[in-house]
Amino acid sequence: MRTFINHLASICSILGIATAGTASLGTLSANPLPPFLTNNPLPNGFPWGSCTANNTSPKNPPVTGTTRYYDFTVRRGTAAPDGFQKNVLLINDQFPGPTIEANWGDWIQVTLRNQITGPEEGTSLHWHGLLQKETPWYDGVPSVSQCPVAPGSTFTYRFRADVYGTTWYHSHYSAQYAGGLLGPLVIYGPSYIPYDYDLGPILLQDWFHLDYFALVEHAMSNITSLQSQASDNTLINGRMPYNCSSAVNGTSCSSNASYSKYRVKAGKTYRLRLINSGAGGIQYFSIDDHSLTVISNDFVYVEPYNTNFVTLGIGQRSDVLFTPKGGPNDTYWMRTLQSGLFCARARQPEGRAVILLDNAPEDTIPKTLAWPPPIDDRTCKNDPLSVTIPYYQIALPEPSVTYHLVINEIINATGHKLYTMNGSPFQADYSDPILRLANEKNISYPHDPQWNIIDFGTNTSIRVNVWNNFTAPHPMHLHGHDMYMLHEGPGQWDGTTIINPQNPQRRDTQNLIPNGHMVFQFDADNPGAWPFHCHIAWHLSMVLSPLPPSLLSLMRYFLPCCSLTPPSIFSHPPKNPENIHLYFLARFKGLSVTFVERPADIPQPQIPGIMSQTCDAWDRYSSRNVVDQIDSGF
């Protein structure tokens, strides 16, 4: 039935219901970004007044009194960003979606209208990396912070631009963002290093010619050849010509697709805001014959360092500077590469864009040579923690609890691949968001239905040691926080070594290497319910989350094939052991766990009425329609 409905959707799209418009990203008509938005008060000449990058914590936003308004309509359509026409999900009939801009401290208000039909689906939008300290219910995660926005319904998000730098927004409903529901988000803030121009967001993305739902079906299949999701192309800002001779007979493919293009001046310094907005592949970004200076990772300025390749796991961002060299008619290739045995699966692993110096003709094709590719050590690791040093220093506090997680992959009796954390996966319940139940002081929410919840109670700073007991990498993302990254490497952590404890790397997404560990810590300064998950769409679909120690023996009895022996869950007793609850879900789906943080401090009166209204609308929709939830729901 789903396949038949998709055929109808394709016919409707061809008839003109929606066709992706041309986004300005990556075109010569796109203007450089400004240092900040000026249609607002400018105390001391800046929207943030006297705040600077070194005298004010980037997590302490100013009060600007300004709100930025956006209106998004989501619906199905067709797009051919690489020449191959396919069914997609679009925001305002654009792919990528519109760029959101705000100054640090502004409020951002986005009205989301769900007009997805043929077939209908719920949806949501997540604002990747934003802390949501005042508004945890607007984090945009169905089953955790909200119910899905039902077909035909409208939902308005309102949240503060509480950190500054480069990020993106995307659907958090199933794997919809792999079908096109994503876009860049830029928050202007103080700068600590000079440059001449800001070329804006550069989205690096693996691109699949199959519909996103078919990709999820394949990932959830017990047929090994279908489980491996190989992308068809690699896009830079939604563009990269595809070799149509590789297209399947009967599909529509045009050889006239364009590259993204950028006009620059020799000797000037440019800021590039790199974003891995893909679904499955780690990206290695470079510019031929030019060194890049990294100035920011995720939302955190770092002491500048030079590199030929910038490594970006899914969801990670890096801001870099480069200074073009050469004559006025020279051209260079900008490249992003999906590379490495365990880091990506791609039929066309290299995406390219054109850099044109002053007078180079617009149709010039560069002839420059790529840097030698990164050595594949099969780790897919980020730059060393000893190199990525935050510009604004924050010392590491003592943890009040240390928690251990073990990631495994297993194959169950029916041949389905399952990712687990401490032996258990996660399954979304769209009708009962964890945050709403926690706010209602509903202590039964982990039991019925069964979700993967870790309630850290009143603990003040939580250290988490994650061991990846498998050969696949996982770009791990924590909502509502940036993480102090304390250590990472092969094998298990020695339990003591910390890199730069006086000022550890901070970021919201970190590549966890195969058969290795990552140790992070976060301050419990943001009461709410915050997912911690792998950002590979298929791993999240097949869910990864924790199991209570008391049930490990039961799991071993029913799954004797599987290794389910993690270290002790807590390496030292928590201050509030009565608040540490681990819960088990018996359905094997995706890779995610939710940290419940200081639930007693989630103020009930502040949760907007629209949250209950949205759940009521979803309940009405799901009571009349079968929700085709074949994966974890994330």
Side-chain angles (χ1 to χ4, degrees), residues 152-365:
S153 296
T154 297
F155 185 90
T156 298
Y157 296 92
R158 181 176 170 82
F159 52 89
R160 191 184 294 276
D162 49 15
V163 284
Y164 57 85
T166 304
T167 192
W168 60 311
Y169 60 88
H170 60 84
S171 172
H172 225 302
Y173 182 100
S174 187
Q176 282 181 340
Y177 84 83
L181 286 192
L182 61 91
L185 197 165
V186 175
I187 300 175
Y188 301 105
S191 180
Y192 81 102
I193 192 168
Y195 55 87
D196 297 299
Y197 300 101
D198 187 336
L199 287 185
I202 297 179
L203 297 165
L204 314 175
Q205 184 175 3
D206 49 13
W207 186 243
F208 299 80
H209 290 166
L210 280 177
D211 171 77
Y212 98 85
F213 194 87
L215 293 170
V216 173
E217 287 180 314
H218 287 184
M220 301 304 297
S221 169
N222 59 359
I223 301 173
T224 303
S225 61
L226 294 180
Q227 293 171 352
S228 299
Q229 306 290 331
S231 62
D232 295 285
N233 207 345
T234 306
L235 309 183
I236 296 180
N237 271 348
R239 291 175 171 82
M240 172 64 195
Y242 178 68
N243 182 358
C244 288
S245 65
S246 301
V248 177
N249 289 337
T251 58
S252 176
C253 188
S254 169
S255 58
N256 295 324
S258 63
Y259 296 101
S260 287
K261 296 181 180 181
Y262 302 91
R263 175 78 66 183
V264 298
K265 299 178 181 179
K268 298 294 184 180
T269 298
Y270 292 81
R271 180 175 184 168
L272 311 178
R273 300 172 179 266
L274 309 178
I275 305 165
N276 184 341
S277 57
I282 290 173
Q283 302 279 354
Y284 297 90
F285 178 88
S286 65
I287 296 176
D288 292 357
D289 200 30
H290 286 76
S291 178
L292 303 170
T293 300
V294 179
I295 63 169
S296 178
N297 285 323
D298 295 352
F299 271 133
V300 179
Y301 276 147
V302 296
E303 298 288 350
Y305 64 94
N306 294 330
T307 183
N308 292 339
F309 286 95
V310 179
T311 304
L312 292 164
I314 298 162
Q316 290 185 320
R317 297 87 65 207
S318 287
D319 287 21
V320 302
L321 303 181
F322 95 106
T323 303
K325 56 187 178 182
N329 294 315
D330 285 349
T331 59
Y332 294 91
W333 283 121
M334 173 189 293
R335 304 178 193 259
T336 189
L337 180 66
Q338 297 188 70
S339 176
L341 179 63
F342 300 129
C343 308
R345 294 185 180 94
R347 298 183 178 92
Q348 169 49 50
E350 185 181 73
R352 285 174 287 165
V354 177
I355 296 178
L356 304 165
L357 268 70
D358 307 82
N359 301 321
E362 292 184 14
D363 58 354
T364 304
I365 298 297

Side-chain angles (χ1 to χ4, degrees), residues 67-74 91-92 100 107-113 125 127 138 154-159 169 185 610:
T67 299
R68 310 291 173 181
Y69 296 93
Y70 292 86
D71 199 312
F72 287 176
T73 297
V74 176
I91 299 174
N92 294 357
I100 292 177
W107 286 89
I108 298 172
Q109 183 166 311
V110 181
T111 298
L112 173 63
R113 307 176 193 279
L125 288 177
W127 323 96
Y138 289 141
T154 297
F155 185 90
T156 298
Y157 296 92
R158 181 176 170 82
F159 52 89
Y169 60 88
L185 197 165
I610 192 175

